[in-house]
Amino acid sequence: MRRLTSLTGNSQKLDGGAMFGNAPRALWERWMIPDAQNRIDLGCRALLVQEHERNVLIETGIGAFFSPQLKERFGVQEERHVLLDSLAEQGLSHVDIDVVLLSHLHFDHAGGVLAPWAEGQPARLLFPNARFLTGRRQWQRARAPHARDQASYIPELLDLLEASGRLELLEDDATSATLGEGWRLHWNEGHTPGQLLAEIAMPDGPVVFAADLVPGAPWVHLPLTMGYDRFAEGLIEEKQALLEHLLACNGRLFFTHDPSIALGRVVRDERGRYGLQDSQSHLVQLSH
């Protein structure tokens, strides 16, 4: 049996122009209304996959590791580590997680691996019983970042992951021995080198954790990219390939950053434009 459950993490407010790249505000504010500081609401949603008597957590969101000053700078809304509360609602804690799969190592996707900030205390890892999986090329990027994305990585987190003895770096393969059957990995470069998207087989079509290739429902529109993406044209090509794959297999996208939509099935209209149907704000699904 496989069970998929969406988990809410800490939310953010980030600049709408940065999140929508070269799209003008007159266009993107139809989808997400900015505040007085031009910021839009964003989520940091994780996906819990329970199977074969193990708990796999895909991403951990931004968490609560930032100091109060940095928390304000990056628009983190809650004081507590919200993902831990969401796990508790499922009768779990971070010690019950067997695998943490990180699409990439930017702080808004991997920061939740760290315990909440405490004055005068060093950073420390949560999830003491988990193996941490991420791509080898993304790890190399994080260890030697470009000036453009250096601030997106957490050096202390990288040191702690390496010292844990539980870090597994994945090659650019479609499968992983650790994840096993029913899992497929997609690799892309447009947002950051070696970003991996996990595809989980389900009876009514697979679910792909879209990470920052498609951060939310509006970005299903093919031309939309983020200002944070390193190579917008390449990302669009990668996105189109994934959307075509999901169309062919009746698949769905799972969104980490969309504040209100967790999941939607990929469709295409008569004009060739991609969209979603059967959107859900929360996901709980069982497979026998």
Side-chain angles (χ1 to χ4, degrees):
M1 184 181 74
R2 175 174 290 152
R3 176 186 175 96
L4 305 186
T5 307
S6 59
L7 300 179
T8 301
N10 290 72
S11 60
Q12 284 184 276
K13 289 181 179 290
L14 287 181
D15 185 83
M19 286 299 298
F20 284 99
N22 65 348
R25 174 170 170 162
L27 177 62
W28 60 254
E29 70 179 358
R30 301 175 191 173
W31 302 310
M32 293 186 173
I33 300 174
D35 65 11
Q37 300 178 55
N38 206 48
R39 302 178 306 173
I40 58 173
D41 293 325
L42 295 170
C44 284
R45 190 179 289 106
L47 180 60
L48 175 65
V49 184
Q50 296 174 283
E51 59 179 11
H52 312 309
E53 299 183 348
R54 70 174 183 178
N55 299 311
V56 179
L57 184 63
I58 306 180
E59 294 201 345
T60 60
I62 198 168
F65 76 95
F66 274 139
S67 67
Q69 180 182 8
L70 290 176
K71 187 176 294 185
E72 182 177 359
R73 179 186 303 176
F74 290 105
V76 182
Q77 297 301 292
E78 303 87 2
E79 296 295 326
R80 67 193 191 283
H81 196 325
V82 176
L83 179 63
L84 300 183
D85 296 342
S86 296
L87 282 169
E89 291 172 2
Q90 302 301 317
L92 300 171
S93 79
H94 68 103
V95 303
D96 298 308
I97 301 301
D98 301 293
V99 177
V100 174
L101 179 63
L102 299 169
S103 69
H104 60 297
L105 295 163
H106 290 170
F107 62 73
D108 55 331
H109 296 258
V113 169
L114 295 173
W117 179 85
E119 188 170 6
Q121 298 299 312
R124 63 180 179 87
L125 286 181
L126 299 173
F127 307 99
N129 299 311
R131 293 189 63 79
F132 299 101
L133 275 58
T134 196
R136 182 177 299 278
R137 286 188 302 109
Q138 173 59 193
W139 178 262
Q140 293 168 343
R141 174 72 167 208
R143 279 306 198 186
H146 190 276
R148 190 172 185 272
D149 65 354
Q150 185 172 4
S152 295
Y153 295 107
I154 314 166
E156 302 92 331
L157 171 60
L158 304 178
D159 293 339
L160 289 167
L161 287 174
E162 193 164 39
S164 72
R166 294 179 280 117
L167 175 65
E168 181 178 339
L169 300 180
L170 303 178
E171 307 297 343
D172 289 18
D173 298 321
T175 59
S176 159
T178 298
L179 294 172
E181 294 183 6
W183 292 77
R184 174 179 174 179
L185 302 180
H186 301 266
W187 300 87
N188 46 75
E189 310 295 311
H191 178 66
T192 186
Q195 179 178 234
L196 68 90
L197 310 184
E199 176 179 321
I200 307 107
M202 296 297 283
D204 60 344
V207 173
V208 171
F209 192 102
D212 275 345
L213 183 68
V214 193
W219 290 268
V220 173
H221 184 48
L222 195 60
L224 286 183
T225 62
M226 295 187 291
Y228 303 110
D229 298 326
R230 63 186 285 266
F231 181 28
E233 290 185 7
L235 184 141
I236 289 170
E237 293 167 359
E238 293 167 343
K239 178 164 55 170
Q240 184 171 23
L242 179 65
L243 294 174
E244 284 296 316
H245 165 70
L246 292 175
L247 276 173
C249 61
N250 196 36
R252 292 165 289 170
L253 286 170
F254 184 92
F255 303 116
T256 184
H257 285 316
D258 197 295
S260 57
I261 298 176
L263 186 83
R265 194 174 304 280
V266 176
V267 294
R268 187 173 55 202
D269 66 17
E270 65 281 356
R271 296 175 59 185
R273 297 175 302 187
Y274 299 100
L276 298 173
Q277 68 179 19
D278 303 328
S279 297
Q280 299 172 241
S281 61
H282 184 68
L283 171 66
V284 178
Q285 185 175 4
L286 286 172
S287 167
H288 295 281

